[in-house]
């Protein structure tokens, strides 16, 4: 009767409007208390603001001077932007955030970092030397409605790299790398050497290898044989710096609107450009997922940092604190190993030991906070429950960035289907589109001769007879089955002369490197069967409407 007295109050799970709102909520309620308690923001990364979560996708361009970073942005936008300078020597001497704006202009760095609507406020910590080399270029380009592009100063080589920039260049790169959606490393086909500063830059962003894409630019300057050697040399150099056995994705091309010096690789460049642009166009809809992934990585690092700080605090004696502090810093690897064994944590989750030792020198260990289980439990709960709820929301996400699409500029050209110069227009199954003559008729004489040799019955060939001829192509059975279904337009289980010719045409498309479509394009339908095909399609659509 009174069983309700022993019940705990019912907890109603928090409901979030979208993924980004959920990320803001759990970050502020679960992770921020842990970060503040153990000084995480002083050791690793400044706290995140609402602008960090609301920001549209960011693309960071990194490369040595004269690799075509600024030209690449101009190629994407198909226009100039304020502050743009292009030349063979180091011309971009600033970090430039190229963003969308109804009124075009330039916002200086000092004004930019005080704008609460933009995510750049923490950059003020890098001082005036950096802020004087930071600006925002506002451009009214539809491309920038779906992404923001960060242009960076050309990384120096030789004697030039010995001159100090006056600010922590790799620290700024690391700050951006933590927050961007893509890191594009550009290489010139004629300059594959990696300078010391470039090596340090890559090492600073190496922990975000899932965001890194490589572009081998100016590849039209070499022929096929030279390109093969250049590609191999680049992979060898990158393997030493990235220190990973996996092969990184390299996009090869010439990303500017000038004539190709060597056009023997034109098809390769078109395919690579299409893949790269498809990757860019996926960023808005995957933006929330990227932010969720970055928050998980941040939470794991914050939890690890808390365990290290609490362990160092526990080891401090009443007397002889300074000598004990030096001993703990010197033997930090022992502390790491003890935590790893107690907590059953992977060694790869620990922060870089050298950097941690340098940071710890500045602090009084006795003033660190001791172990506070509740804060760690909240983070564990966040990772196990809150994050899984947000993951379930991803397919139906209604966050503002997920509604954006990358359109305009070079993206319109890449997706062009209206002119003969669009991607794969007039090739493979697209050959013959818009032409008055049925494309299959170009090889019709040879197809008809094969048809007659197979001894048709009443103008048709059975599946068994066609199979013998189709098998001569050595294509796999699943591919031939797909071609049969497309060629059998009237679906009677036999092929007449037109259908057989269509099937042979599709086989040749596949043998020449093309792809077989899921549905037969209208321009490939035999002219005599178009009316019947149209009725079948109408019947299918009516059935679909009734089922829905």
């Amino acid at each position: 009767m009174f069983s309700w007295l022993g019940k705990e109050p019912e907890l109603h799970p928090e409901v979030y409007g979208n993924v980004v709102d959920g990320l803001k909520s759990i970050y502020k309620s679960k992770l921020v208390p842990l970060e503040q308690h153990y000084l995480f923001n002083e050791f690793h990364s400044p706290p995140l603001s609402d602008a960090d979560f609301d920001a549209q996708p960011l693309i960071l361009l990194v490369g040595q001077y004269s690799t075509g970073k600024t030209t690449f942005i101009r190629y994407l936008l198909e226009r100039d932007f304020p502050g743009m300078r292009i030349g063979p020597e180091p011309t971009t001497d600033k970090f430039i955030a190229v963003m969308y704006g109804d009124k075009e202009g330039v916002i200086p760095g000092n004004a930019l970092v005080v704008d609460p609507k933009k995510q750049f406020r923490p950059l003020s910590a890098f001082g005036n030397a950096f802020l004087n080399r930071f600006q925002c270029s506002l451009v009214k380009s539809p491309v920038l409605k779906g992404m923001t592009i960060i242009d960076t100063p050309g990384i120096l080589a030789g004697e030039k790299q010995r001159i100090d920039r006056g600010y922590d260049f790799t620290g700024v790169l690391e700050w951006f790398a933590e927050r961007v959606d893509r890191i594009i490393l550009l290489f010139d086909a004629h300059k594959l050497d990696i300078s010391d500063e470039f090596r340090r830059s890559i090492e600073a962003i190496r922990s975000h290898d899932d965001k890194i894409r490589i572009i081998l630019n100016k590849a039209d300057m070499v022929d096929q044989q030279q390109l093969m050697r250049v590609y191999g040399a680049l992979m060898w150099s990158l393997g030493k710096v990235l220190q990973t056995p996996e092969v990184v994705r390299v996009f090869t091309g010439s990303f500017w609107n000038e004539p190709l010096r060597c056009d023997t690789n034109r098809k390769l460049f078109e395919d690579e450009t299409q893949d790269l642009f498809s990757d860019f166009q996926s960023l808005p809809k995957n933006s929330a997922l990227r932010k969720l992934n970055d928050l998980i990585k941040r939470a794991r690092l914050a939890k690890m940092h808390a365990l290290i700080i609490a362990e160092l605090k526990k080891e401090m004696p009443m007397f002889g604190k300074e000598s004990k502090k030096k001993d703990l810093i010197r033997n930090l690897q022992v502390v790491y190993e003890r935590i790893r064994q107690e907590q059953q944590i992977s060694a790869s989750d620990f922060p870089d030991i050298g950097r941690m030792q340098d940071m710890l020198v500045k602090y009084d260990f006795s003033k660190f906070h001791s172990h506070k289980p509740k804060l760690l439990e909240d983070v564990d709960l966040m990772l196990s429950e809150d994050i899984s709820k947000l993951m379930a929301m991803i397919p139906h996400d209604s966050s503002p960035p997920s509604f954006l699409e990358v359109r305009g500029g070079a993206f319109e050209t890449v997706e062009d289907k209206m002119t003969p110069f669009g991607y794969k227009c007039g090739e493979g199954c697209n050959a013959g589109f818009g032409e008055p003559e049925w494309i299959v008729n170009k090889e019709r004489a040879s197809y008809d001769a094969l048809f007659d040799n197979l001894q048709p019955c009443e103008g048709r060939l059975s599946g068994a007879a066609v199979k013998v001829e189709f098998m001569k192509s050595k294509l796999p059975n699943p591919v031939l089955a797909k071609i049969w279904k497309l060629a059998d337009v009237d679906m009677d289980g036999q092929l007449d002369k037109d259908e057989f010719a269509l099937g042979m045409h599709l086989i040749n498309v596949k043998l020449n490197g093309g792809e077989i479509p899921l549905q037969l394009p209208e321009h490939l339908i035999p002219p005599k069967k178009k009316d019947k095909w149209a009725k079948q399609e109408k019947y299918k659509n009516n059935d679909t409407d009734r089922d829905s």
Side-chain angles (χ1 to χ4, degrees), residues 237-264:
S237 299
L238 285 172
K240 292 197 302 180
V241 180
L242 294 174
Q243 296 180 0
T244 173
E246 292 84 8
V247 177
V248 293
R249 178 65 166 97
V250 177
F251 297 92
T252 306
S254 179
F255 297 94
W256 68 337
N257 291 317
E258 298 296 328
L260 299 176
R261 301 288 181 89
C262 183
D263 69 346
T264 54

Side-chain angles (χ1 to χ4, degrees), residues 309-318 324-325 327-328 335 338 365:
I309 295 298
E311 185 68 20
L312 294 175
K313 169 68 175 179
K314 186 178 73 173
E315 292 292 323
M316 290 302 290
M318 291 290 293
K324 183 62 175 177
K325 171 185 170 181
D327 183 59
L328 287 170
V335 177
R338 185 160 58 245
F365 289 9

